[in-house]
Amino acid sequence: MYFHYCGIPILIFFCERVKIYRRNNAISHNKLLFQCFYNRCSAPAYHLILEGILILWIIRLLFSKTYKLQERSDLTEKEKEELIEEWQPEPLVPLVSKDHPSLSYDVVTGPPSHRIIVNGKECINFASFNFLGLLDSERVKLKALSSLKKYGVGTCGPRGFYGTFDVHLELEERLAKFMRTEEAIIYSYGFATIASAIPAYSKRGDIVFVDEAACFSIQKGLQASRSFVKYFKHNDMEDLERLLKEQEIEDQKNPRKARVIRRFIVVEGLYINAADICPLPELVKLKYKYKVRIFLEESMSFGVLGEHGRGVTEHFGVNIDDIDLISANMENALASIGGFCCGRSFVIDHQRLSGQGYCFSASLPPMLASAAIEALNIMEEDPGNNIYIHKNKCILPSSLIYGGFCRTPGLKTVGEPLTPALHLQLENSTGSRTNDLKLLRAIVDYSLDRQIALTLARYLDKEERFLPPPSIRVVVTVEQTQEEMEKAAQCIREAAVKILK
């Protein structure tokens, strides 16, 4: 009875509330739809057009086929064979004439020491980079021979895979001590030394300022680094500073990005393509002024410049700690094979993990490492008789031959009197690089017939960033006498008069 009088009114009350709730929700839903439609109509026209295009594109993708079968007609076996016979593949490389200068070789018999046998003729060697005459040293040969008997010919493994021998560690220690740096690292190939060192430090996004006359191994290192390269005019410090100032202004626009970009200056101590010395003191000033790092390639100046042969740093009296990395090969003054880098320990240790030529190439044969150690011993024991510059015995012939070449008609001498490798270029080009090379080659052949061995400077014409003009390279060593220098200069003058008339 209680439920009859109380429960029924309560049930009726709840039913009424549900009807009101549903009616209100319907009104709210209609309002929401109307509001959305109104907002859509009031949107900008370009927005509506863009949405319409997207809707049509989606509908097209849903109903279009993924691909179309291409109509083709099957070929008969005979037609296939005819097409195969007619097809000619494109050559992998451009065709080269068989009389190209790079394909004609001067064959050497015996050691390329002071006296060299070229094409069966004994000549005075003005072509090899045997600056200190250690190539034919009996002490060096005996040391290499004893090492050959002990270790064998090669190593058959990189340094990290059973390719590290005790003589490698000894040579690295000796080189670091000789150069007065904390540590040194050796490579088994001279060309790969600087070409591996640059990309070990400079990566994509970093900036490298490079001299236009930089050698080919530096160019390959820059290419491998994928860094942003800015070239400055050869030995032009004003042009270099201009580039550094421009970069400084660019860095101020985005300081956050500038903080993570590394900047390097890469130069040679003694340029192989220009035969002159870099202005290292000015480079060091720019280094500290603009906060950049200096990489110094000293393959031509190691063992040559400086009182003890330590290179361009000793030549100018520059503190070697001001140079972030020094690289040189052991194929010139030390008369061995391979190269080395030296500097602070944390800089060198990084190459042991990142230097491609160090990590992936078979290590230097122990007999060549032993030969380099013995060559260092000779340099340290008697520097006065072996160092090229700052000793009267060596500087006199270099200046004499430089002066003799300056009087050669039709040829101009490129380089400085103190450099051991000079270039002789045509004063007036024929307008054709091939013809210029033929004229210079005729001078080389004329000299070779008269027992003077010279060589043309060779370049990869299509690979060089700044291709140097054709030239004859003349190398002066400590073994050549004053009479031999005068004979060579006289022979070249006669050849120039006869061939360039």
Side-chain angles (χ1 to χ4, degrees), residues 128-137 178 301-305 308-309 332-335 375-376 378-380 382-383 385-389 393-394 420 475-480:
S128 301
F129 293 143
N130 184 27
F131 298 141
L132 305 183
L134 298 176
L135 183 65
D136 207 29
S137 169
F178 178 79
S301 52
F302 173 73
V304 172
L305 295 178
H308 300 89
N332 299 339
L334 291 184
L376 273 177
I378 296 173
M379 289 174 61
E380 290 180 331
D382 195 6
N385 288 330
N386 291 284
I387 299 307
Y388 200 87
I389 305 299
K393 174 183 175 181
C394 307
V475 180
V476 185
T477 71
V478 296
E479 293 183 309
Q480 295 157 355

Side-chain angles (χ1 to χ4, degrees), residues 23-300:
R23 185 169 60 251
N24 291 338
N25 278 352
I27 295 171
S28 300
H29 184 64
N30 292 335
K31 286 183 178 180
L32 181 61
L33 291 175
F34 177 77
Q35 186 67 32
C36 291
F37 179 76
Y38 177 78
N39 291 338
R40 189 66 58 196
C41 293
S42 61
Y46 72 88
H47 196 277
L48 296 175
I49 294 172
L50 180 61
E51 287 187 349
I53 293 173
L54 291 175
I55 292 171
L56 293 175
W57 181 256
I58 292 172
I59 293 173
R60 181 183 180 277
L61 291 177
L62 290 174
F63 292 98
S64 64
K65 294 181 179 180
T66 56
Y67 63 93
K68 289 185 178 180
L69 293 175
Q70 295 181 355
E71 296 181 0
R72 64 181 183 84
S73 59
D74 293 331
L75 299 174
T76 64
E77 291 297 327
K78 183 179 180 182
E79 290 174 333
K80 291 179 181 178
E81 292 178 359
E82 290 177 353
L83 288 174
I84 293 173
E85 291 178 358
E86 293 175 359
W87 181 76
Q88 292 293 333
E90 294 184 0
L92 293 176
V93 294
L95 296 177
V96 179
S97 175
K98 291 187 177 181
D99 60 351
H100 192 278
S102 298
L103 299 180
S104 59
Y105 301 99
D106 294 314
V107 181
V108 177
T109 306
S113 52
H114 175 51
R115 291 280 178 173
I116 184 173
I117 300 176
V118 184
N119 299 334
K121 302 174 184 177
E122 184 176 346
C123 306
I124 304 171
N125 191 353
F126 284 88
S128 301
F129 293 143
N130 184 27
F131 298 141
L132 305 183
L134 298 176
L135 183 65
D136 207 29
S137 169
E138 288 298 324
R139 285 178 55 180
V140 173
K141 290 192 290 186
L142 288 174
K143 191 70 175 180
L145 183 60
S146 63
S147 179
L148 174 65
K149 294 178 179 179
K150 179 179 180 180
Y151 298 100
V153 177
T155 59
C156 296
R159 288 289 297 270
F161 299 91
Y162 299 104
T164 298
F165 290 66
D166 52 355
V167 287
H168 294 147
L169 302 177
E170 181 183 356
L171 177 56
E172 289 176 343
E173 183 181 354
R174 289 293 308 278
L175 286 169
K177 182 180 178 181
F178 178 79
M179 294 298 293
R180 295 179 178 175
T181 58
E182 294 180 2
E183 195 170 337
I185 181 174
I186 60 173
Y187 287 78
S188 56
Y189 182 30
F191 183 92
T193 305
I194 189 64
S196 298
I198 291 176
Y201 304 99
S202 184
K203 306 296 183 181
R204 185 190 296 273
D206 295 333
I207 300 173
V208 187
F209 301 91
V210 189
D211 193 292
E212 288 182 351
C215 62
F216 194 61
S217 56
I218 290 178
Q219 297 175 41
K220 290 289 111 176
L222 296 171
Q223 184 178 348
S225 72
R226 299 178 295 177
S227 302
F228 185 55
V229 181
K230 295 186 177 183
Y231 288 93
F232 59 91
K233 296 177 183 178
H234 177 54
N235 274 350
D236 190 337
M237 295 300 99
E238 292 182 0
D239 190 45
L240 172 58
E241 187 166 15
R242 176 186 62 81
L243 294 175
L244 292 169
K245 285 181 179 178
E246 290 177 357
Q247 186 59 43
E248 187 178 50
I249 295 172
E250 190 69 23
D251 292 341
Q252 292 173 358
K253 297 178 182 178
N254 192 347
R256 185 175 180 180
K257 180 181 178 182
R259 282 195 295 268
V260 298
I261 294 177
R262 289 166 291 193
R263 300 160 193 81
F264 304 88
I265 296 176
V266 180
V267 293
E268 292 181 65
L270 178 58
Y271 287 90
I272 187 172
N273 293 336
D276 53 6
I277 304 170
C278 75
L280 189 61
E282 298 178 45
L283 287 166
V284 172
K285 292 179 182 178
L286 293 177
K287 168 192 172 177
Y288 289 111
K289 183 177 180 180
Y290 294 97
K291 306 297 185 296
V292 294
R293 299 174 175 91
I294 294 181
F295 283 4
L296 184 61
E297 215 290 323
E298 294 221 61
S299 293
M300 295 293 290

Side-chain angles (χ1 to χ4, degrees), residues 412-478:
K412 62 179 179 179
T413 305
V414 177
E416 298 181 7
L418 300 183
T419 58
L422 304 171
H423 290 268
L424 298 178
Q425 298 176 359
L426 295 175
E427 281 187 346
N428 299 308
S429 173
T430 62
S432 167
R433 186 175 184 87
T434 302
N435 293 336
D436 289 352
L437 285 170
K438 289 180 179 179
L439 289 175
L440 294 174
R441 180 66 210 188
I443 295 176
V444 171
D445 292 336
Y446 181 93
S447 302
L448 192 62
D449 292 337
R450 287 152 184 80
Q451 288 75 51
I452 301 295
L454 304 173
T455 184
L456 292 176
R458 298 293 177 89
Y459 307 99
L460 294 179
D461 296 2
K462 296 182 180 180
E463 297 288 333
E464 288 280 351
R465 183 66 174 77
F466 298 96
L467 182 62
S471 65
I472 298 173
R473 182 181 288 130
V474 183
V475 180
V476 185
T477 71
V478 296

